[in-house]
Amino acid sequence: MSESDADETTARAAGERFRELYGAAPHGVWAAPGRVNLIGEHTDYNDGFVMPFALPHTAVAAVSRRDDGVLRLHSADVDAPVVELTVDSLAPGTDRDWTAYPAGVVWALREAGHAVTGADIHLASTVPAGAGLSSSAALEIVVALALNDLYELGLRGWQSARLCQRAENVYVGAPVGVMDQTASACCESGHALFLDTRDLSQRQIPFDLAAEGMRLLVVDTQVKHSHSEGEYGRRRAGCEKGAALLGVDALRDVAPADLDAALDRLGDEEEVRRLVRHVVTENERVERVIALLESGDTRAIGPVLTAGHSSLRDDFRVSCPELDLVVDTALASGALGARMTGGGFGGSAIVLAEAADTAPITEAIRKTFTTVGFTTPRIFEAVPSAGARRLR
């Protein structure tokens, strides 16, 4: 099935369910993808560099505009009836359920001065939740895109991403950076997105592994994580402390050539030293991957990915036994490179491999997980796909 045929099938199903719920056809149907981050982890909230690409897995929203201040929400992925809210009652800290994500977007739009007066929304998602693939960002961006179109707000992708980040930071209470929302809104098919999170400048980097005989696997360990829990926030606070101690606006401002001197200045602040070392070296790894891709030496990015995992495991300390086992098993089975992706504490790893090696690597990972008693992981190929778009 072609991408356009798949989009039409998805749109039809969402529209039919919307009609069943609300008694009329939606004004439109939109989709926004999850993402895989190729390289650049925990750099986005340090004004650094990231390089995500969009997955074919999407959050889909069938939406109609309302002008009476009522917001009605339904999710195909939650066993619950339609939730009815009023836009005037939306406030941070009032909602700890799934509805906080779409409601938070409405709140953020209104806080920014956009006269959103309500909506009927039906949501469905194929982005695995809790897998480090940005299921929440996809949900936020698809709602923002729908409301942007229906209310003719004129927001560009990066502007919607900023508002959705604010929704998740303030309304939901998760201290995430802007990468996930920007990736969902702005990625292009067949490309990875080089994003400077300080000024939101973007560059689309061609990334067609299949044409070069390679594949990128996503291994969802089935270990769930939540960004709103404390460990993620503690890492961010530690990075901010490091920037303050070094007298810079953000760790982005520490050049790789100055890293040793910066670490010396941090003295016995060992935890902060580790966080700083990861962020500075990870920014350098993003630039290295771009240089290799643009020079046509794609296979050489494998060791860079693996080095990124070592840094996330040893310095940033956000890996877990399941993620480490994926990486170690994949490398022992012939992978070109592997690393955890996403915020950590569970979620997914990525594996770069020759096309001919993907089947034995997949089998080895599953067998090893069974041997040690871990839950069988979900493994699929990641194909750089289209960003957020209107389906009908």
Side-chain angles (χ1 to χ4, degrees), residues 21 28 40 95 114 126 138 186 197 204 224 267 278 371-372:
L21 291 164
D95 188 352
H114 301 292
T126 58
C186 300
T197 64
Q204 301 288 343
K224 303 301 180 185
H278 167 73
T371 300
V372 302

mmCIF file of all heavy atoms in Angstrom, residues 21 28 40 95 114 126 138 186 197 204 224 267 278 371-372:
data_model
loop_
_atom_site.group_PDB
_atom_site.id
_atom_site.type_symbol
_atom_site.label_atom_id
_atom_site.label_comp_id
_atom_site.label_asym_id
_atom_site.label_seq_id
_atom_site.Cartn_x
_atom_site.Cartn_y
_atom_site.Cartn_z
ATOM 1 N N LEU A 21 -19.140 9.098 17.192
ATOM 2 C CA LEU A 21 -19.040 9.736 18.502
ATOM 3 C C LEU A 21 -19.830 11.034 18.590
ATOM 4 O O LEU A 21 -20.491 11.309 19.603
ATOM 5 C CB LEU A 21 -17.564 10.039 18.818
ATOM 6 C CG LEU A 21 -16.657 8.842 19.069
ATOM 7 C CD1 LEU A 21 -15.199 9.270 18.965
ATOM 8 C CD2 LEU A 21 -16.935 8.247 20.448
ATOM 9 N N GLY A 28 -12.145 17.969 9.301
ATOM 10 C CA GLY A 28 -10.906 17.518 8.676
ATOM 11 C C GLY A 28 -10.248 16.431 9.485
ATOM 12 O O GLY A 28 -10.637 16.153 10.630
ATOM 13 N N GLY A 40 22.083 12.885 19.182
ATOM 14 C CA GLY A 40 21.816 14.162 19.837
ATOM 15 C C GLY A 40 20.802 14.008 20.950
ATOM 16 O O GLY A 40 19.671 14.478 20.845
ATOM 17 N N ASP A 95 -5.169 18.559 35.369
ATOM 18 C CA ASP A 95 -5.447 17.334 34.622
ATOM 19 C C ASP A 95 -4.200 16.455 34.623
ATOM 20 O O ASP A 95 -3.145 16.884 34.141
ATOM 21 C CB ASP A 95 -5.850 17.691 33.185
ATOM 22 C CG ASP A 95 -6.337 16.491 32.393
ATOM 23 O OD1 ASP A 95 -6.235 15.352 32.885
ATOM 24 O OD2 ASP A 95 -6.824 16.702 31.263
ATOM 25 N N HIS A 114 -4.320 33.273 20.799
ATOM 26 C CA HIS A 114 -5.123 32.751 19.688
ATOM 27 C C HIS A 114 -6.533 32.402 20.183
ATOM 28 O O HIS A 114 -6.687 31.665 21.157
ATOM 29 C CB HIS A 114 -4.457 31.526 19.082
ATOM 30 C CG HIS A 114 -3.073 31.797 18.568
ATOM 31 N ND1 HIS A 114 -2.832 32.608 17.483
ATOM 32 C CD2 HIS A 114 -1.852 31.383 19.015
ATOM 33 C CE1 HIS A 114 -1.529 32.676 17.269
ATOM 34 N NE2 HIS A 114 -0.911 31.945 18.181
ATOM 35 N N THR A 126 -0.717 5.165 16.386
ATOM 36 C CA THR A 126 0.058 3.935 16.216
ATOM 37 C C THR A 126 1.486 4.106 16.738
ATOM 38 O O THR A 126 2.314 3.216 16.564
ATOM 39 C CB THR A 126 0.107 3.513 14.733
ATOM 40 O OG1 THR A 126 0.679 4.577 13.958
ATOM 41 C CG2 THR A 126 -1.285 3.197 14.209
ATOM 42 N N ALA A 138 3.643 13.702 19.188
ATOM 43 C CA ALA A 138 2.793 13.475 18.022
ATOM 44 C C ALA A 138 1.357 13.866 18.327
ATOM 45 O O ALA A 138 0.668 14.493 17.505
ATOM 46 C CB ALA A 138 2.871 12.010 17.594
ATOM 47 N N CYS A 186 8.082 19.064 11.490
ATOM 48 C CA CYS A 186 8.913 19.592 10.406
ATOM 49 C C CYS A 186 9.706 18.564 9.607
ATOM 50 O O CYS A 186 10.323 18.925 8.589
ATOM 51 C CB CYS A 186 9.893 20.621 10.974
ATOM 52 S SG CYS A 186 9.103 22.035 11.781
ATOM 53 N N THR A 197 18.693 23.750 18.360
ATOM 54 C CA THR A 197 17.580 24.057 19.256
ATOM 55 C C THR A 197 17.688 25.448 19.878
ATOM 56 O O THR A 197 16.743 25.890 20.536
ATOM 57 C CB THR A 197 17.450 23.002 20.375
ATOM 58 O OG1 THR A 197 18.612 23.043 21.207
ATOM 59 C CG2 THR A 197 17.287 21.616 19.797
ATOM 60 N N GLN A 204 17.534 19.857 6.256
ATOM 61 C CA GLN A 204 17.135 18.483 5.949
ATOM 62 C C GLN A 204 18.343 17.741 5.359
ATOM 63 O O GLN A 204 18.898 18.151 4.343
ATOM 64 C CB GLN A 204 15.965 18.473 4.953
ATOM 65 C CG GLN A 204 14.717 19.197 5.429
ATOM 66 C CD GLN A 204 13.972 18.441 6.522
ATOM 67 O OE1 GLN A 204 14.178 17.246 6.730
ATOM 68 N NE2 GLN A 204 13.083 19.149 7.213
ATOM 69 N N LYS A 224 8.666 0.820 30.118
ATOM 70 C CA LYS A 224 8.006 2.108 29.988
ATOM 71 C C LYS A 224 8.702 3.168 30.821
ATOM 72 O O LYS A 224 9.261 2.897 31.870
ATOM 73 C CB LYS A 224 6.528 2.014 30.408
ATOM 74 C CG LYS A 224 5.741 0.966 29.630
ATOM 75 C CD LYS A 224 5.765 1.235 28.131
ATOM 76 C CE LYS A 224 4.969 0.188 27.361
ATOM 77 N NZ LYS A 224 5.070 0.372 25.903
ATOM 78 N N GLY A 267 35.571 21.148 39.476
ATOM 79 C CA GLY A 267 36.134 20.591 40.703
ATOM 80 C C GLY A 267 35.511 19.269 41.103
ATOM 81 O O GLY A 267 35.478 18.311 40.327
ATOM 82 N N HIS A 278 28.846 14.689 28.823
ATOM 83 C CA HIS A 278 27.956 14.073 27.836
ATOM 84 C C HIS A 278 27.424 15.098 26.846
ATOM 85 O O HIS A 278 27.475 14.888 25.624
ATOM 86 C CB HIS A 278 26.764 13.375 28.490
ATOM 87 C CG HIS A 278 25.714 13.031 27.472
ATOM 88 N ND1 HIS A 278 25.868 12.009 26.561
ATOM 89 C CD2 HIS A 278 24.530 13.636 27.166
ATOM 90 C CE1 HIS A 278 24.822 11.977 25.752
ATOM 91 N NE2 HIS A 278 23.998 12.948 26.098
ATOM 92 N N THR A 371 16.426 -15.557 27.054
ATOM 93 C CA THR A 371 17.367 -16.284 27.911
ATOM 94 C C THR A 371 17.495 -15.649 29.293
ATOM 95 O O THR A 371 17.551 -16.343 30.317
ATOM 96 C CB THR A 371 18.752 -16.361 27.243
ATOM 97 O OG1 THR A 371 18.630 -17.050 25.995
ATOM 98 C CG2 THR A 371 19.748 -17.080 28.131
ATOM 99 N N VAL A 372 17.533 -14.307 29.334
ATOM 100 C CA VAL A 372 17.721 -13.628 30.622
ATOM 101 C C VAL A 372 16.398 -13.322 31.323
ATOM 102 O O VAL A 372 16.397 -12.791 32.442
ATOM 103 C CB VAL A 372 18.541 -12.336 30.460
ATOM 104 C CG1 VAL A 372 19.894 -12.637 29.855
ATOM 105 C CG2 VAL A 372 17.786 -11.304 29.635
#
